[in-house]
Amino acid sequence: MAVVQEKELLCKDFLSRPKQLLIDGKWVDAVSGKTFETVNPATEEVLCRVAEGGKEDVDKAVKAARRAFEVGPWRKMSTAERARLMLKLADLIEKHADELAQIETLDNGKPITESRYVDVPQTVETFRYYAGWATKLEGETINANSNFFTYTLREPVGVVGQIIPWNFPMLMLAWKWGPALAAGNTIVLKPAEQTPLSALRIGELALEAGFPEGVINIVTGFGANSAGEAISHHMDIDKVAFTGEDKTGKLIVQASTTNLKRVSLELGGKAPNIVFADADIDAAVKGAITGIFFNQGQVCCAGSRLFLEKNIHDEFMAKLTERVAKLRQGDGLDDKTRIGPQVSKEQQERVLSYINIAKGEGASLACGGEAPAELKKGYFVKPTIFTGVNNDMRIAQEEVFGPVLAVIPFSNMEDVAEQANKTTFGLSGAVWTRDVKKAHKFASHIKAGTVWVNCYNVFDPAVPFGGYKMSGYGRELGKHSIELYTNIKSVWVNMQD
Ligand code: NAP
Ligand code: MG
């Protein structure tokens, strides 16, 4: 296997350095002195140990963030200076792109071609996009009553807690830091326990870029009964942004009642990917593969329900399974790998258990359905496709968060229109057709925050992303994320003599 040799490992130095918490501009151990392991899911080897922050560390980080927000140089800094810091961070990430891509692949398992050509460049672009926003925030004057001069100020929310998942560790950080920093907030970030490393390396680069102390704080550690919960309950955090599972999202909302902090949520999905008989079938086959197997299916907007019009079903399946059989699975560091391991043993087991559930429900296994026997180490699951799925089955309703596709045949427009929205989630959906009218009708019909027409998984920092229904609320990316991180203040000035 042409896996990167140790001498080519650009992140060797980083891996050997201590992994501490970033609080108030300094790297410090957890108050408890505890650490935890982070593992390479392709080899099951421990990459390094990382400080395990808890409640006391979150308290320290919040104090630092509060001070930085209220009295630090951050508050007085011009927006142009803020933008320059963000651009500097983007440049530093770009400069260290290969090292960061390796860190992401080692910690998460994703193919290096994805880390290198998707995660890192999109992280850079997100920081550049939001750096542009820093200088463009405005209030307005309102002609309400000539006796008063009335205007609005757009102000930062304050100290923001950000809790992110393991599927796109670096990119989720950028989606959250970008708008928060552009708007002048200060940050306490908790990365996922499975993938803390890229955040720590970007934390080093943020210090190098010159962010004032306390503006960016990183507390690695666990969620439940620990750092994550301390953030969600904290009385001095003004807003929490969360990406993760819907069950955790509900806990975050409940915890927010302590001080009624603002909450935004990006949760799961069970996206319908609909192919009509009049579509470009070869393009739709490729789109179905991107839709479900990108990032090993660990994507909240994955096209996990593939609806095929009955008269193209067999032709489509023949082409799909032929292509899927060629997807090369292995260690993400090998640049020929297209499918890496799941992020952890727990996720591998969860995916395999859903495969058993689907079999038990009577779905037919078209390919995959097990861990690859030839890969002795690592948390791999073969790309798996079930046909003959009914939309009411658990495999069509529950989020697997793995490389498992449920194929559901449909007979006509009305039939698929009803089934597509029959889900508790509403993050995304896609439709493949050459009929422009049908495409627009479905774009408006699908109850989801993003609809792709004749494409899948296309993103840009300028285009909003977020959920309907139980996929969460609030929109990240674009100008909408600025709303999440700012408050509007109305000022009335009496002009009467
Ligand atoms: P998760 O368990 O919800 O974890 C997400 C983050 O929340 C992690 O940092 C986690 O810490 C933390 N956390 C867990 N329990 C917490 C609690 N009680 N209080 C505060 N924080 C807590 O989700 P996951 O298992 O990492 O990721 C898989 C799920 O995320 C999937 O279901 C997927 O749908 C969803 N997801 C959604 C999106 C989106 O954009 N909508 C993107 C990615 C993932 P630990 O790391 O210690 O568990
Ligand atoms: Mg978890």
Side-chain angles (χ1 to χ4, degrees):
M1 203 191 292
V3 178
V4 169
Q5 299 301 311
E6 218 195 334
K7 63 179 173 5
E8 299 160 354
L9 257 194
L10 300 165
C11 56
K12 224 165 71 182
D13 275 358
F14 168 73
L15 289 176
S16 65
R17 290 199 284 277
K19 305 289 173 308
Q20 295 169 294
L21 312 175
L22 177 57
I23 297 179
D24 212 9
K26 288 165 212 69
W27 294 102
V28 295
D29 288 331
V31 172
S32 67
K34 283 198 216 163
T35 59
F36 66 101
E37 290 175 345
T38 186
V39 169
N40 176 350
T43 61
E44 304 181 25
E45 281 163 14
V46 175
L47 289 164
C48 56
R49 296 192 71 89
V50 176
E52 184 188 327
K55 185 177 179 311
E56 293 146 303
D57 304 285
V58 168
D59 284 342
K60 278 172 61 186
V62 172
K63 277 204 184 83
R66 176 58 62 194
R67 204 161 45 239
F69 181 73
E70 304 294 348
V71 296
W74 186 238
R75 193 174 185 86
K76 295 181 209 102
M77 201 177 269
S78 72
T79 54
E81 258 177 287
R82 224 150 67 197
R84 267 200 299 278
L85 283 177
M86 294 178 72
L87 291 171
K88 180 101 185 277
L89 176 57
D91 288 348
L92 285 169
I93 293 171
E94 197 166 53
K95 185 174 153 194
H96 295 280
D98 290 328
E99 180 194 353
L100 281 162
Q102 288 181 353
I103 291 172
E104 201 74 328
T105 287
L106 284 170
D107 214 10
N108 167 282
K110 62 178 70 197
I112 191 78
T113 46
E114 290 180 14
S115 308
R116 185 68 186 84
Y117 299 108
V118 180
D119 299 68
V120 175
Q122 293 226 2
T123 297
V124 171
E125 288 316 313
T126 302
F127 279 115
R128 290 194 177 135
Y129 171 81
Y130 280 108
W133 269 105
T135 50
K136 288 156 200 76
L137 302 179
E138 294 173 339
E140 52 196 348
T141 58
I142 301 169
N143 303 330
N145 180 329
S146 58
N147 290 327
F148 297 90
F149 169 47
T150 317
Y151 62 93
T152 63
L153 295 172
R154 185 175 284 278
E155 299 182 336
V157 171
V159 175
V160 302
Q162 304 182 323
I163 303 174
I164 58 174
W166 43 258
N167 56 347
F168 294 93
M170 193 186 307
L171 198 51
M172 290 299 108
L173 173 153
W175 284 23
K176 297 212 165 20
W177 284 13
L181 294 170
N185 299 279
T186 58
I187 292 170
V188 178
L189 174 86
K190 194 202 87 66
E193 69 192 56
Q194 298 85 349
T195 55
L197 296 183
S198 53
L200 295 175
R201 184 68 186 107
I202 292 178
E204 291 180 351
L205 298 177
L207 291 186
E208 189 179 333
F211 280 92
E213 55 194 34
V215 171
I216 290 170
N217 303 276
I218 304 173
V219 181
T220 46
F222 297 94
N225 303 311
S226 189
E229 236 178 88
I231 289 175
S232 62
H233 283 85
H234 210 286
M235 288 302 286
D236 201 31
I237 288 184
D238 301 298
K239 175 202 160 48
V240 165
F242 171 77
T243 298
E245 216 165 336
D246 52 346
K247 284 192 222 89
T248 319
K250 288 181 186 174
L251 296 175
I252 303 280
V253 173
Q254 283 162 10
S256 73
T257 61
T258 52
N259 67 338
L260 294 175
K261 59 175 67 67
R262 284 165 69 169
V263 176
S264 53
L265 302 171
E266 298 274 9
L267 309 175
K270 198 73 196 179
N273 187 10
I274 303 165
V275 186
F276 285 102
D278 65 9
D280 175 341
I281 299 299
D282 291 326
V285 166
K286 285 188 205 158
I289 291 173
T290 309
I292 189 63
F293 298 127
F294 176 62
N295 206 30
Q296 294 68 247
Q298 302 166 144
V299 182
C300 45
C301 52
S304 47
R305 288 184 298 152
L306 179 66
F307 288 95
L308 295 181
E309 195 158 2
K310 275 184 182 151
N311 52 349
I312 53 152
H313 180 278
D314 293 353
E315 175 199 351
F316 196 101
M317 283 309 301
K319 288 185 167 178
L320 180 63
T321 46
E322 192 194 325
R323 280 191 90 96
V324 170
K326 291 187 191 140
L327 294 173
R328 194 163 148 157
Q329 187 159 29
D331 190 323
L333 279 186
D334 185 341
D335 58 15
K336 292 191 195 68
T337 292
R338 290 293 163 266
I339 311 248
Q342 305 312 119
V343 74
S344 63
K345 184 156 186 57
E346 187 190 349
Q347 285 299 313
Q348 182 198 35
E349 284 169 358
R350 174 189 161 110
V351 175
L352 292 172
S353 84
Y354 268 107
I355 289 171
N356 276 333
I357 289 169
K359 287 179 184 164
E361 288 178 307
S364 317
L365 188 64
C367 63
E370 59 190 357
E374 69 279 13
L375 296 170
K376 304 285 178 232
K377 286 266 170 185
Y379 310 128
F380 294 91
V381 178
K382 282 187 190 171
T384 298
I385 304 179
F386 282 103
T387 54
V389 174
N390 176 315
N391 193 48
D392 297 326
M393 291 178 182
R394 285 182 66 192
I395 197 67
Q397 288 297 318
E398 296 175 23
E399 188 174 48
V400 177
F401 225 57
V404 181
L405 181 62
V407 181
I408 308 172
F410 69 90
S411 39
N412 56 46
M413 283 268 283
E414 294 67 39
D415 175 23
V416 72
E418 191 192 327
Q419 296 196 65
N421 283 336
K422 244 180 147 188
T423 161
T424 53
F425 295 112
L427 194 59
S428 60
V431 53
W432 300 80
T433 175
R434 286 191 170 98
D435 180 339
V436 87
K437 224 193 286 178
K438 222 190 262 177
H440 286 296
K441 272 191 184 152
F442 264 80
S444 103
H445 173 77
I446 294 173
K447 291 196 171 82
T450 294
V451 177
W452 287 292
V453 177
N454 296 331
C455 55
Y456 210 100
N457 277 343
V458 193
F459 282 90
D460 189 284
V463 182
F465 183 79
Y468 281 38
K469 302 196 275 185
M470 285 180 69
S471 292
Y473 42 74
R475 290 289 174 273
E476 294 193 301
L477 301 185
K479 63 183 173 196
H480 301 276
S481 198
I482 294 292
E483 302 288 339
L484 301 180
Y485 289 97
T486 51
N487 267 325
I488 299 291
K489 178 185 282 174
S490 299
V491 182
W492 295 75
V493 183
N494 191 346
M495 302 299 284
Q496 295 167 96
D497 294 326

